[in-house]
């Protein structure tokens, strides 16, 4: 007598790969290394220049202050180049600060750097041997201060840098005076008085008590890398979740930002990186 064996239970079919979770909106700026148009090559050169001031400090134990630091990538690279130095980054964006702390821990710098959530306006954190202020001059002044902020910010930076130290100021400048049509395509209420031209920017640094050790400007490739990276997370999220409840808001924000760049400030607004040396207070007589 034959018996019928029950058929073996079917194995569960493998699950299909899951799409990335929609969460509450697109990720924040994960495609950017720096929060500005700054290439790896230029960052390396800037780090090398300012690290000299840290190596000259007793025992190499210089200090770095990063104002409006975001996630502080340049700050961390300066500390990597000067293994005995310590640093502080200040910013008001808690998410960026958390990213900076995580990066510091991952790179073995957690004991040498602090990321602090506070305003840079009227900060008493200095003086430091190296002061970084990348596209953050406005953070040094009250919120109601009228632009351009550059001259007043430079005077604040002069007070925050130690004798013989270095300041790196990343600041916007007009490559040419914007036309009314270009201004209309930029951010709301854009006006010509918001920025200086490059020559006036350098002159403002001299008037504030610095000598410009190095003056350089972001090129078109750096700008395009930054602007595309700035929107990349949002664009991919929108392509994946076009019907998400927050998609319309994110889409409008991305479209407006892209239009501002491509129709407004592209090839009009530049970014200058000034490596500055404070003028000594010693006014003694020297042999001629």
């Amino acid at each position: 007598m034959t018996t019928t064996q029950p058929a073996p239970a079917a194995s569960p079919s493998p699950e299909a790969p899951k799409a990335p979770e929609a969460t509450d909106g697109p990720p924040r700026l994960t495609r950017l290394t720096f929060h500005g148009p700054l290439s790896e090559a230029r960052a390396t050169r800037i780090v090398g220049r300012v690290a000299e001031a840290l190596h000259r400090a007793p025992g190499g134990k210089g200090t770095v202050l990063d104002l409006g630091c975001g996630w502080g990538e340049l700050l961390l690279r300066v500390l990597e180049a000067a293994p005995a130095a310590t640093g502080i980054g200040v910013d008001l964006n808690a998410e960026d600060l958390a990213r900076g702390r995580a990066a510091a821990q991952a790179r073995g710098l957690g004991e040498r750097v602090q990321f602090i959530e506070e305003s840079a306006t009227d900060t008493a954190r200095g003086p430091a041997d190296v002061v970084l202020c990348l596209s953050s001059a406005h953070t040094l002044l009250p919120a109601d201060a009228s632009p351009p902020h550059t001259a007043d910010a430079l005077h604040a930076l002069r007070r925050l840098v130690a004798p013989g130290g270095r300041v790196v100021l990343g600041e916007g400048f007009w490559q040419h005076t914007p036309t009314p049509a270009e201004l209309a395509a930029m951010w709301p209420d854009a006006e010509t008085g918001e920025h200086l031209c490059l020559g006036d920017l350098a002159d403002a640094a001299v008037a504030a008590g610095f000598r410009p050790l190095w003056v350089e400007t972001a090129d078109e490739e750096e700008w395009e890398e930054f602007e595309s990276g700035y929107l990349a997370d949002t664009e991919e999220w929108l392509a994946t979740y076009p019907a998400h409840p927050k998609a319309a808001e994110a889409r409008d924000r991305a479209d407006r930002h892209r239009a501002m760049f491509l129709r407004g400030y592209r090839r009009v607004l530049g970014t200058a990186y000034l490596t500055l040396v404070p003028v000594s207070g010693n006014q003694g007589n020297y042999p001629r």
Side-chain angles (χ1 to χ4, degrees), residues 201-226:
L201 175 57
D203 288 348
V206 172
F210 291 104
R211 299 305 302 179
L213 178 66
W214 216 269
V215 178
E216 55 195 312
T217 62
D219 61 29
E220 190 169 343
E221 182 177 355
E222 286 171 297
W223 267 102
E224 290 176 347
E225 285 286 321
F226 168 64

Side-chain angles (χ1 to χ4, degrees), residues 1-7:
M1 180 178 183
T2 57
T3 58
T4 303
Q5 299 293 328

Side-chain angles (χ1 to χ4, degrees), residues 146-241:
S146 299
H149 303 108
T150 312
D152 289 338
L154 280 160
H155 284 284
L157 290 168
R158 180 63 185 83
R159 294 191 296 270
L160 293 170
V161 63
R166 298 287 185 270
V167 167
V168 178
L169 173 67
E171 179 68 346
F173 70 96
W174 292 132
Q175 299 187 59
H176 66 255
T177 301
T179 66
E182 289 167 338
L183 285 172
M186 296 183 194
W187 49 91
D189 302 320
E191 57 184 44
T192 57
E194 289 187 52
H195 296 288
L196 304 175
C197 70
L198 185 58
D200 289 344
L201 175 57
D203 288 348
V206 172
F210 291 104
R211 299 305 302 179
L213 178 66
W214 216 269
V215 178
E216 55 195 312
T217 62
D219 61 29
E220 190 169 343
E221 182 177 355
E222 286 171 297
W223 267 102
E224 290 176 347
E225 285 286 321
F226 168 64
E227 290 291 341
S228 292
Y230 185 85
L231 291 178
D233 284 322
T234 298
E235 299 292 13
E236 186 170 45
W237 185 87
L238 285 169
T240 307
Y241 304 106

